Amino acid sequence: MAAGSLATRLRERLRGGPPLVGTFVKLPALESVDLVRSLGFDLAVVDGEHSQLDEGAILSLLRHGAALDLPMLVRTSTRDAGSLNRMIEAGAAGIQLSTLRACAERDALVSATRYAPDGTRSVSLAHPAADYSGIPLAQYLERSKEFPLLVGQIETASTIDPLPEILRGLDAAFIGTTDLSVDLGRPGMLDDARVTGRVSEIATAASSAGVALGAWVASADALAKLGDARFRYVLVGSDLQALRAGLSMVASAARKALA
Amino acid sequence: MAAGSLATRLRERLRGGPPLVGTFVKLPALESVDLVRSLGFDLAVVDGEHSQLDEGAILSLLRHGAALDLPMLVRTSTRDAGSLNRMIEAGAAGIQLSTLRACAERDALVSATRYAPDGTRSVSLAHPAADYSGIPLAQYLERSKEFPLLVGQIETASTIDPLPEILRGLDAAFIGTTDLSVDLGRPGMLDDARVTGRVSEIATAASSAGVALGAWVASADALAKLGDARFRYVLVGSDLQALRAGLSMVASAARKALA
Amino acid sequence: MAAGSLATRLRERLRGGPPLVGTFVKLPALESVDLVRSLGFDLAVVDGEHSQLDEGAILSLLRHGAALDLPMLVRTSTRDAGSLNRMIEAGAAGIQLSTLRACAERDALVSATRYAPDGTRSVSLAHPAADYSGIPLAQYLERSKEFPLLVGQIETASTIDPLPEILRGLDAAFIGTTDLSVDLGRPGMLDDARVTGRVSEIATAASSAGVALGAWVASADALAKLGDARFRYVLVGSDLQALRAGLSMVASAARKALA
Amino acid sequence: MAAGSLATRLRERLRGGPPLVGTFVKLPALESVDLVRSLGFDLAVVDGEHSQLDEGAILSLLRHGAALDLPMLVRTSTRDAGSLNRMIEAGAAGIQLSTLRACAERDALVSATRYAPDGTRSVSLAHPAADYSGIPLAQYLERSKEFPLLVGQIETASTIDPLPEILRGLDAAFIGTTDLSVDLGRPGMLDDARVTGRVSEIATAASSAGVALGAWVASADALAKLGDARFRYVLVGSDLQALRAGLSMVASAARKALA
Amino acid sequence: MAAGSLATRLRERLRGGPPLVGTFVKLPALESVDLVRSLGFDLAVVDGEHSQLDEGAILSLLRHGAALDLPMLVRTSTRDAGSLNRMIEAGAAGIQLSTLRACAERDALVSATRYAPDGTRSVSLAHPAADYSGIPLAQYLERSKEFPLLVGQIETASTIDPLPEILRGLDAAFIGTTDLSVDLGRPGMLDDARVTGRVSEIATAASSAGVALGAWVASADALAKLGDARFRYVLVGSDLQALRAGLSMVASAARKALA
Amino acid sequence: MAAGSLATRLRERLRGGPPLVGTFVKLPALESVDLVRSLGFDLAVVDGEHSQLDEGAILSLLRHGAALDLPMLVRTSTRDAGSLNRMIEAGAAGIQLSTLRACAERDALVSATRYAPDGTRSVSLAHPAADYSGIPLAQYLERSKEFPLLVGQIETASTIDPLPEILRGLDAAFIGTTDLSVDLGRPGMLDDARVTGRVSEIATAASSAGVALGAWVASADALAKLGDARFRYVLVGSDLQALRAGLSMVASAARKALA
């Protein structure tokens, strides 16, 4: 399935039905993408911000996800339109932009990811979603109209513009809980009132802007701490964190069995 | 610490004290080596046989382990002396040769991994263990006398030569439990009498040859099934398997938390 | 679809119906695999013999083909069981062994690619076709019984053992026309009697051994030269050759248009 | 020949004589550069904008072109002076900047690619064009005065500053026909009056600014559609497009031959 | 030792004691890092500005240095906070920013490399310095307070803001002697009065801002030319330059011996 | 110049004129090849035996050397015909086989590197020396008749067959001095009578077999120790060793200058 269709399908699932579960992919290993898909995650987000993945590794993971029909977004802090375009051409179903704080940043994101007249993304057919020019240009443009998903990561105590305005036109607001808690002076204290208060503000803003709400938590049991926000999707941990947890259990169990 | 010292230290720990715990590294990610070391595994074995690691990835993992002072072996099916030498020069503390069945194979392994007059390994100082020729040749040869560890993987229902003879001169006999169970016609049935019987034979042979006994198990609780063999070390699962287990728990917990 | 299913499906299509068309993949570019699939080739063969693909590139191409449900074989001259196994674990639907000349070589190929009791292939679940151990061992072994496809490349004027005996137990006999013509002292002269005579012998042997017949030709019009052999599949050219042809046309047309 | 000489030679050929023919290189394969050179293209442009080439692949292709004495430019959307410098140090004979719309952008490009006092490019001798410091600094600076070629890609319906002013100081104006047609609301309709009108405007501006005119067309026959503009060079298609065309012909011809 | 400790230790050594010696690493080879450490350099600087190292190579070199407990900085011209963060997470003990000319640039550097409330660096535990989340968030933040080292490269004839103000809050001022001499119109003439005068100004400014002074020289004997500035550390040449010198000596000596 | 011509030219220079000087390339860096060529070495040998170069790196270095018209051999211990062929197709001007001890090994080398009827090398036009099939097959075969150079490395105290017989049909006998001295029980003692005696034997055998004589020495002054053998070429040190020497000088000089 082309990346465009993956985006459309994911967008629909964000609008209704049971909330979705995903995780971050930080390891430079296609095995990780294989496993995320095989284990039934609804989506995955390649982490271009906090990982040792270089551009080649990011593109490679995105291509593999697209080949497997797994909806994959990419989380990035880059505002470079060229970089964003290469990731979308690789097969990213969406872009999750970190630390969104202003309408101008949102506008730049929309502009960089939509073709004229809706934006300024440069057009090419030299990638899988256009079947490497197997699809006529006009048809490709038509089918690309609502692609890709755009997610704004909200992770600061305050923003430059009002939250509901910043979020308008995006597909989802994503709460970067770690950075948010640090910025609020409550590192990792997700059930602190300052944190839950801010989470609630973001949830309200997302609702008023008509966009889905998502968040990252280190583990599923941390979800409850965030208050009664209604998440349309959550990202839980990462492949790297899962690897640590899995290896840690192996080590303990082995020590016990051999004692 | 140089790879030679890592081998010496590991050899000593195989001779006495509490049994050691290791795991297989199959992911092309230095993060995996970092975690194995940080979580207190006594050793790790880069899997050159059942993984998607090419030679470059294998060498890179071995170099990282050596840089971190983590004793790493490499499991390989290759009998090519050139390949074995490159892995040792990269920093492998030992070689674990799969499917050892004959004295001639053991002899070839010894020959390929020992310098003259003990073997035919080609000499070079162009690698970290010789400080890139910072160490005089004669001194380097002296310190390399007992390096690296040699492990023979026993995983067939029968061998060409008698087991105790095959094992002589090695550091350890390692039971490849999966292949062994398949070869015995009892795939994965580790507590089947055929399997435990063969395990017992191998243990006896290892003891009589004066070499340490090791084995792989998918999980620590499988150890008990193998009978009363006294293992000096076990490899439990792999990073890839731990990643699967970790991601699987994340997915279940998240579904439950969101339900 | 798992590589095993791809092999099964391809085997069935080799038995009857219209003859299949494939090509060699020699470029280190996933784009090539994407295009081969999109343009409707029935199969592709990653060229591990005549290309600049190292092992990492070969495995990467095979994984991509498997992810896209494109049946991909790998052509290799290696007799190393470890290498063959890694390529199958990567997702190769089959192995095409170059320069097959003896029953012993065929036996070694079968042994290296079949699990006990049919062969000596080492078992692991740490790859996609076993869902990274998501499938129980016994079930995985069952479903792997006839996997992968085995193709013997016949490209010498004579063989050590009689052709029909060499081919028995394989899925296909593949005529390496270039090497064959050189070995017959008629380089590239496919319609020379020596060449067509030998082609005919191979075709007869394939028929008597009950295996499919395939061949490589540089271009489709060369097929006719090979005589009246009935091919179940042909490999035509390669991505590299297609790239050359395409670029050559571009250059000529542009010169003409600008003149 | 050093990259500087390649730039000088190419600049001269852009000034007079028969128009030049090039193509885009988008595949991560040195084979593509080999073929472009062997088939007589006058230049090639590594596509850093619409391809899956990461920085390492781009630099690698540029180095190979320089080693082969093939003049290679790089097309990029980056305005990052560090990136531009690394590409020039790799051996790029020129920079083709996408979507040029303002004099300030042109000034930044010039500044980033010229040493003081003409610009702010950071100086280093640690690259082939300076023979890795085999050439004295002053001499290297002297010979670098007019290097590299600078090409501004014009592909919008309008620009911020007047076209002739934007182009001044560059070597060539390059028409990005696809983006231009999309921005004009006539996707792919190169013979539409809006497109040909704009092409004519750009040609006039180039002429008045004294810079060469170039353009991309998907195929040579599209050239005629663009009106009577006098191109000093054209880029036709790409290696990826040629690969598609070549494979497509192979597939059709094979089906026909086997029918 | 964690990268944080490496930074702390290096910072202390910059404050007093004998001046430190380092060099640039430009080769994509872990061997280079091994040698720099083995030969007793106090630090090394991975050159992200003048080399053919792509991001993956830079991260790989930094990780290797951190694994070996060698303090490594990275020299870069990037102002992209995401890139800077990935390099620090890889294990860079410090950032050396090229062409610093204004307080705003310094502020951006500080902001990008310090966590809230001191800056805006995005927090993650998914890297070695945080033991991949083995360290609690609050503790990690505490230990990261003064990490990494920040070095401003001064290499222009003049700056936008006064030098002492620009340098405040950094750890060191580093004189980019080549670019500085070119910008002063005295390429490579380090003992020219214009150059020594500017060096003296920078030294005075560094002293008044309370930051260490460093510089690059192509060879140790060039140090004397720079006047009487008191350097706390110098970077001499690079691995690439050392390779050239070493090979050049080999070639001459061999010609002589064979003559 | 095609690799074939490089081989021919090198072969001629081995026959007469001043002796040639080369070195080993062990670093995974094209910079090393650039420098070796720029500094006037007559040839270089990519070290596939004692280095951390994987196959991809080896091929990449060979391709770069061929692109630059630098005659490059590859030193390898592999007897695998497929590997040898890929290295020749990459552009190796010759193969230097380590530890040659028997006529059968020599025959296998000749067979693997010569096309029928002189050998069994598999034919392909899909590489630069055949212009990717731009050259007709028969013409390519004709021009490949004496290509590539074949060098046998003699480095043992004794051989299975008599030396003069082993060397017949090769282009050169190369003395692996380090391994030879170790095998003779005189590690590194090049002027020991056992070593010089054996060197003399090899020289005599080379002369009687009509092949050129070459050797490796760590540094040029060691040449004299080897006695009065007449070398047609020597390999001195390696890039890695030169890097070490260069860095070592930098460190000492800097310490002195700062003291």
Side-chain angles (χ1 to χ4, degrees):
Chain A
M1 189 180 296
S5 318
L6 288 171
T8 301
R9 196 174 62 186
L10 186 55
R11 188 175 278 122
E12 277 160 21
R13 297 187 63 199
L14 283 177
R15 289 204 182 115
L20 308 184
V21 174
T23 193
F24 276 114
V25 170
K26 294 168 184 264
L27 290 167
L30 301 189
E31 286 88 343
S32 196
V33 178
D34 286 341
L35 285 171
V36 163
R37 172 168 167 278
S38 161
L39 292 167
F41 285 88
D42 302 299
L43 76 159
V45 181
V46 176
D47 196 353
E49 189 183 20
H50 291 297
S51 72
Q52 290 294 300
L53 304 170
D54 66 6
E55 189 183 24
I58 291 171
L59 298 181
S60 174
L61 291 164
L62 290 171
R63 287 167 104 169
H64 195 61
L68 293 173
D69 258 351
L70 172 72
M72 289 186 86
L73 284 68
V74 59
R75 192 249 298 261
T76 180
S77 67
T78 194
R79 266 68 179 163
D80 180 70
S83 296
L84 294 173
N85 182 52
R86 277 192 298 276
M87 295 189 283
I88 304 172
E89 288 187 3
I95 301 288
Q96 176 173 327
L97 195 72
S98 65
T99 325
L100 187 68
R101 288 177 307 173
C103 290
E105 290 178 306
R106 189 263 334 272
D107 289 345
L109 175 63
V110 170
S111 178
T113 58
R114 297 288 181 267
Y115 295 124
D118 303 318
T120 59
R121 184 181 167 199
S122 178
V123 183
S124 165
L125 299 176
H127 53 92
D131 191 19
Y132 297 98
S133 76
I135 300 172
L137 178 56
Q139 183 180 331
Y140 168 70
L141 291 171
E142 184 58 33
R143 102 163 40 160
S144 303
K145 276 212 171 312
E146 294 204 9
F147 166 75
L149 261 82
L150 298 180
V151 179
Q153 198 163 310
I154 307 297
E155 46 194 348
T156 47
S158 63
T159 50
I160 296 172
D161 295 312
L163 264 180
E165 290 180 27
I166 293 174
L167 296 175
R168 220 170 304 278
L170 299 180
D171 290 289
F174 185 89
I175 307 179
T177 47
T178 302
D179 269 323
L180 181 60
S181 73
V182 172
D183 203 47
L184 290 164
R186 296 292 184 271
M189 302 158 69
L190 298 194
D191 50 5
D192 179 275
R194 278 206 217 170
V195 177
T196 56
R198 183 65 175 151
V199 165
S200 179
E201 280 171 31
I202 300 169
T204 303
S207 172
S208 104
V211 308
L213 184 68
W216 181 79
V217 282
S219 62
D221 55 354
L223 258 181
K225 299 187 188 169
L226 289 173
D228 56 357
R230 292 296 204 48
F231 296 104
R232 289 300 308 143
Y233 77 112
V234 289
L235 300 184
V236 184
S238 69
D239 55 358
L240 190 48
Q241 205 171 307
L243 175 58
R244 190 182 211 287
L247 284 172
S248 179
M249 288 186 308
V250 164
S252 323
R255 297 277 177 224
K256 203 170 297 176
L258 286 168
Chain B
M1 187 180 295
S5 318
L6 288 171
T8 301
R9 195 174 61 185
L10 186 56
R11 188 175 278 121
E12 278 160 20
R13 296 187 63 200
L14 283 177
R15 291 206 181 113
L20 308 184
V21 174
T23 193
F24 276 114
V25 171
K26 294 168 184 264
L27 290 167
L30 301 188
E31 286 87 343
S32 197
V33 179
D34 286 341
L35 284 171
V36 164
R37 173 169 167 277
S38 162
L39 291 167
F41 284 89
D42 301 299
L43 76 159
V45 181
V46 176
D47 195 352
E49 189 183 21
H50 290 297
S51 71
Q52 289 295 300
L53 304 170
D54 65 6
E55 189 183 24
I58 291 171
L59 299 180
S60 173
L61 291 164
L62 291 171
R63 288 166 104 170
H64 196 61
L68 292 173
D69 258 349
L70 172 72
M72 288 185 87
L73 285 68
V74 60
R75 192 250 298 261
T76 180
S77 66
T78 194
R79 267 69 179 162
D80 179 70
S83 296
L84 294 173
N85 182 52
R86 278 193 298 276
M87 294 189 283
I88 303 171
E89 288 188 2
I95 301 288
Q96 175 172 328
L97 195 71
S98 64
T99 324
L100 187 68
R101 288 176 306 173
C103 290
E105 290 178 305
R106 189 263 334 270
D107 290 344
L109 176 63
V110 170
S111 179
T113 58
R114 296 286 181 267
Y115 294 124
D118 303 317
T120 59
R121 184 181 168 199
S122 178
V123 184
S124 166
L125 299 175
H127 53 91
D131 192 19
Y132 297 98
S133 76
I135 299 173
L137 178 55
Q139 183 180 332
Y140 168 71
L141 291 171
E142 184 58 34
R143 101 164 40 161
S144 304
K145 274 211 173 314
E146 294 204 9
F147 166 77
L149 261 81
L150 298 181
V151 180
Q153 198 162 312
I154 308 296
E155 46 194 348
T156 47
S158 63
T159 50
I160 295 171
D161 297 311
L163 264 180
E165 290 179 28
I166 293 174
L167 296 175
R168 221 169 306 277
L170 300 181
D171 290 289
F174 184 89
I175 308 178
T177 47
T178 301
D179 269 322
L180 181 60
S181 73
V182 172
D183 204 46
L184 289 165
R186 296 291 184 270
M189 301 159 70
L190 298 193
D191 49 6
D192 179 274
R194 280 206 217 168
V195 177
T196 55
R198 183 66 175 151
V199 165
S200 178
E201 281 171 30
I202 301 169
T204 304
S207 172
S208 103
V211 308
L213 183 69
W216 181 80
V217 281
S219 60
D221 56 354
L223 258 181
K225 299 187 188 168
L226 289 173
D228 56 358
R230 291 296 205 49
F231 296 105
R232 288 302 306 143
Y233 76 112
V234 289
L235 300 185
V236 184
S238 70
D239 55 358
L240 190 49
Q241 206 170 303
L243 175 58
R244 193 184 209 285
L247 284 172
S248 179
M249 288 187 308
V250 163
S252 321
R255 296 277 178 223
K256 202 170 297 177
L258 286 168
Chain C
M1 188 182 295
S5 319
L6 288 171
T8 301
R9 197 174 58 185
L10 186 54
R11 188 175 279 120
E12 278 161 20
R13 297 187 64 200
L14 284 177
R15 292 206 181 114
L20 308 184
V21 175
T23 193
F24 276 115
V25 171
K26 294 169 183 264
L27 291 167
L30 301 189
E31 286 87 346
S32 196
V33 179
D34 286 341
L35 284 171
V36 164
R37 173 170 167 277
S38 161
L39 291 167
F41 285 88
D42 301 300
L43 77 158
V45 181
V46 176
D47 195 353
E49 189 183 21
H50 290 296
S51 71
Q52 290 293 302
L53 303 171
D54 66 6
E55 189 182 25
I58 291 171
L59 299 181
S60 174
L61 291 165
L62 290 171
R63 288 166 103 171
H64 196 60
L68 292 173
D69 258 350
L70 172 73
M72 288 185 88
L73 284 68
V74 60
R75 192 251 298 261
T76 179
S77 67
T78 193
R79 268 68 180 162
D80 180 70
S83 296
L84 294 173
N85 182 51
R86 279 193 297 276
M87 295 189 283
I88 304 172
E89 288 188 2
I95 301 288
Q96 176 172 327
L97 196 71
S98 64
T99 324
L100 187 67
R101 289 176 305 172
C103 290
E105 289 179 306
R106 190 262 335 270
D107 290 345
L109 175 63
V110 170
S111 179
T113 58
R114 296 287 182 266
Y115 295 123
D118 303 317
T120 59
R121 183 180 168 200
S122 179
V123 184
S124 165
L125 299 175
H127 53 92
D131 192 18
Y132 297 98
S133 76
I135 298 172
L137 178 55
Q139 182 180 331
Y140 168 70
L141 291 171
E142 184 57 34
R143 98 161 45 159
S144 304
K145 275 214 174 307
E146 294 203 11
F147 166 77
L149 261 81
L150 298 181
V151 180
Q153 198 161 312
I154 308 298
E155 46 194 348
T156 47
S158 63
T159 50
I160 297 171
D161 297 311
L163 264 181
E165 290 180 27
I166 293 174
L167 296 176
R168 221 169 305 278
L170 300 180
D171 290 288
F174 184 89
I175 307 179
T177 47
T178 303
D179 270 323
L180 182 60
S181 72
V182 173
D183 203 47
L184 290 165
R186 294 291 183 271
M189 302 158 70
L190 297 194
D191 49 5
D192 180 275
R194 277 206 219 170
V195 177
T196 54
R198 182 66 175 150
V199 165
S200 178
E201 281 171 31
I202 301 170
T204 304
S207 172
S208 105
V211 309
L213 183 69
W216 181 79
V217 281
S219 61
D221 55 354
L223 258 181
K225 300 188 188 168
L226 289 173
D228 56 356
R230 292 294 205 50
F231 296 105
R232 289 302 308 142
Y233 76 113
V234 289
L235 300 184
V236 184
S238 69
D239 55 356
L240 190 48
Q241 206 171 304
L243 175 58
R244 191 182 209 287
L247 285 172
S248 179
M249 289 187 307
V250 164
S252 323
R255 297 277 177 224
K256 202 170 299 176
L258 286 168
Chain D
M1 189 180 294
S5 319
L6 287 172
T8 301
R9 196 175 60 185
L10 186 55
R11 188 176 279 120
E12 277 160 21
R13 297 187 63 200
L14 283 177
R15 291 205 182 115
L20 308 183
V21 174
T23 192
F24 277 115
V25 171
K26 295 169 183 264
L27 290 168
L30 301 188
E31 286 87 346
S32 196
V33 178
D34 286 342
L35 284 171
V36 163
R37 173 169 167 279
S38 161
L39 291 168
F41 285 89
D42 302 299
L43 76 160
V45 182
V46 176
D47 195 352
E49 189 183 20
H50 290 297
S51 71
Q52 291 293 301
L53 303 171
D54 66 6
E55 190 182 24
I58 291 171
L59 298 180
S60 174
L61 292 164
L62 291 171
R63 289 167 102 170
H64 196 61
L68 293 172
D69 258 349
L70 172 72
M72 288 185 87
L73 284 69
V74 59
R75 191 250 299 260
T76 179
S77 67
T78 194
R79 268 69 179 161
D80 180 71
S83 296
L84 294 173
N85 182 52
R86 277 192 299 276
M87 294 188 284
I88 303 171
E89 288 187 1
I95 301 288
Q96 175 172 328
L97 195 70
S98 65
T99 324
L100 187 68
R101 289 176 306 173
C103 291
E105 290 178 306
R106 189 262 336 269
D107 290 345
L109 176 63
V110 170
S111 177
T113 57
R114 296 288 180 267
Y115 295 125
D118 303 318
T120 59
R121 185 181 167 200
S122 180
V123 183
S124 165
L125 299 175
H127 53 93
D131 191 19
Y132 296 99
S133 75
I135 299 172
L137 178 54
Q139 182 181 332
Y140 168 70
L141 290 171
E142 185 57 34
R143 100 161 45 159
S144 303
K145 275 213 174 311
E146 293 204 11
F147 167 75
L149 261 83
L150 299 181
V151 180
Q153 197 162 312
I154 308 297
E155 47 194 346
T156 47
S158 63
T159 50
I160 296 172
D161 296 312
L163 264 179
E165 290 181 27
I166 293 175
L167 296 175
R168 220 170 305 276
L170 301 180
D171 290 289
F174 185 89
I175 307 180
T177 47
T178 303
D179 269 323
L180 181 60
S181 72
V182 173
D183 203 45
L184 290 165
R186 295 292 184 269
M189 302 157 70
L190 298 194
D191 50 6
D192 180 275
R194 278 206 218 171
V195 176
T196 55
R198 183 65 176 152
V199 164
S200 179
E201 281 172 30
I202 300 170
T204 304
S207 173
S208 104
V211 309
L213 183 69
W216 181 80
V217 281
S219 62
D221 56 354
L223 260 181
K225 300 187 187 168
L226 289 173
D228 55 358
R230 291 295 205 49
F231 295 105
R232 290 298 310 140
Y233 77 113
V234 289
L235 301 184
V236 183
S238 69
D239 55 358
L240 191 47
Q241 206 171 303
L243 175 58
R244 192 184 210 286
L247 285 173
S248 179
M249 288 186 308
V250 164
S252 322
R255 297 278 177 223
K256 203 170 298 176
L258 286 168
Chain E
M1 188 181 294
S5 318
L6 288 172
T8 301
R9 196 174 62 185
L10 186 55
R11 188 176 279 120
E12 277 160 20
R13 296 188 63 199
L14 284 178
R15 292 207 180 112
L20 309 184
V21 174
T23 193
F24 276 114
V25 172
K26 295 169 183 265
L27 290 168
L30 302 188
E31 286 87 345
S32 196
V33 178
D34 286 341
L35 284 171
V36 164
R37 172 169 168 278
S38 162
L39 291 167
F41 285 89
D42 302 299
L43 76 159
V45 181
V46 177
D47 196 352
E49 190 183 19
H50 290 297
S51 71
Q52 290 294 300
L53 302 171
D54 67 5
E55 190 182 25
I58 292 171
L59 298 180
S60 174
L61 291 165
L62 290 171
R63 288 166 103 170
H64 196 60
L68 292 173
D69 258 350
L70 172 72
M72 288 185 88
L73 283 68
V74 60
R75 192 251 296 262
T76 180
S77 66
T78 194
R79 268 67 181 164
D80 180 70
S83 295
L84 294 172
N85 182 52
R86 277 193 298 276
M87 295 189 284
I88 304 172
E89 289 187 3
I95 301 288
Q96 176 172 330
L97 196 71
S98 65
T99 325
L100 187 68
R101 288 177 308 172
C103 290
E105 290 178 306
R106 190 263 333 271
D107 290 345
L109 176 63
V110 170
S111 178
T113 58
R114 296 288 181 266
Y115 294 124
D118 303 317
T120 59
R121 182 181 168 199
S122 179
V123 184
S124 165
L125 298 175
H127 53 91
D131 192 19
Y132 297 98
S133 76
I135 299 172
L137 178 55
Q139 183 181 331
Y140 168 71
L141 291 171
E142 185 58 34
R143 99 162 44 159
S144 304
K145 274 212 173 314
E146 294 204 10
F147 167 75
L149 261 82
L150 298 181
V151 180
Q153 198 162 313
I154 307 296
E155 46 194 349
T156 47
S158 63
T159 50
I160 296 171
D161 296 311
L163 263 181
E165 289 181 27
I166 292 174
L167 296 175
R168 219 169 306 277
L170 300 181
D171 289 289
F174 184 89
I175 307 180
T177 48
T178 303
D179 269 323
L180 181 61
S181 73
V182 173
D183 203 46
L184 290 164
R186 296 292 184 269
M189 303 157 70
L190 297 195
D191 49 5
D192 180 274
R194 278 206 219 169
V195 177
T196 55
R198 183 65 177 150
V199 164
S200 179
E201 281 171 29
I202 300 170
T204 304
S207 173
S208 104
V211 308
L213 184 69
W216 181 79
V217 282
S219 61
D221 55 354
L223 257 182
K225 300 188 188 167
L226 289 173
D228 57 356
R230 291 295 204 49
F231 294 105
R232 289 300 308 141
Y233 77 112
V234 289
L235 300 184
V236 184
S238 69
D239 54 357
L240 191 48
Q241 207 171 301
L243 175 58
R244 193 184 208 286
L247 284 172
S248 178
M249 288 186 308
V250 164
S252 323
R255 297 275 177 226
K256 202 170 296 176
L258 286 168
Chain F
M1 189 180 296
S5 319
L6 288 171
T8 301
R9 196 174 61 185
L10 186 55
R11 188 176 280 122
E12 277 160 20
R13 297 188 61 199
L14 283 178
R15 292 206 180 114
L20 308 184
V21 175
T23 192
F24 276 115
V25 171
K26 295 168 184 264
L27 290 168
L30 301 187
E31 286 87 345
S32 197
V33 179
D34 286 341
L35 284 171
V36 164
R37 174 170 167 277
S38 162
L39 291 167
F41 285 89
D42 302 300
L43 76 159
V45 181
V46 176
D47 195 352
E49 188 182 20
H50 291 295
S51 70
Q52 290 294 301
L53 303 171
D54 66 6
E55 190 183 23
I58 291 170
L59 299 180
S60 174
L61 291 164
L62 290 171
R63 289 166 102 170
H64 196 61
L68 293 172
D69 258 350
L70 171 72
M72 288 185 87
L73 284 68
V74 59
R75 192 249 298 261
T76 179
S77 66
T78 193
R79 267 70 179 161
D80 180 70
S83 295
L84 294 172
N85 182 52
R86 277 191 300 274
M87 294 189 285
I88 304 171
E89 289 187 1
I95 301 287
Q96 176 172 328
L97 196 70
S98 64
T99 325
L100 187 68
R101 288 176 307 173
C103 291
E105 291 178 305
R106 189 265 332 272
D107 290 345
L109 175 63
V110 170
S111 178
T113 58
R114 296 288 182 267
Y115 295 124
D118 304 318
T120 59
R121 183 181 168 201
S122 179
V123 184
S124 165
L125 299 175
H127 53 92
D131 192 17
Y132 297 98
S133 75
I135 299 171
L137 178 55
Q139 184 181 330
Y140 168 72
L141 291 171
E142 185 56 35
R143 101 163 40 159
S144 304
K145 275 213 173 309
E146 294 203 11
F147 166 74
L149 262 82
L150 298 181
V151 180
Q153 198 162 311
I154 308 297
E155 47 195 347
T156 47
S158 63
T159 50
I160 297 171
D161 296 312
L163 264 180
E165 290 180 27
I166 292 174
L167 296 175
R168 220 169 307 275
L170 301 180
D171 290 289
F174 185 89
I175 307 179
T177 47
T178 302
D179 270 322
L180 181 61
S181 72
V182 172
D183 203 46
L184 289 164
R186 295 291 184 270
M189 301 158 70
L190 297 194
D191 49 6
D192 180 274
R194 278 206 218 171
V195 177
T196 55
R198 182 66 176 150
V199 165
S200 178
E201 281 171 31
I202 300 170
T204 304
S207 173
S208 104
V211 308
L213 183 69
W216 181 80
V217 281
S219 60
D221 56 355
L223 258 181
K225 301 187 188 169
L226 289 173
D228 55 358
R230 292 295 204 51
F231 295 104
R232 290 299 308 141
Y233 76 112
V234 289
L235 300 185
V236 185
S238 69
D239 55 357
L240 191 47
Q241 206 171 303
L243 175 58
R244 192 184 209 284
L247 284 173
S248 179
M249 288 187 307
V250 164
S252 322
R255 297 277 177 225
K256 202 170 298 176
L258 286 168

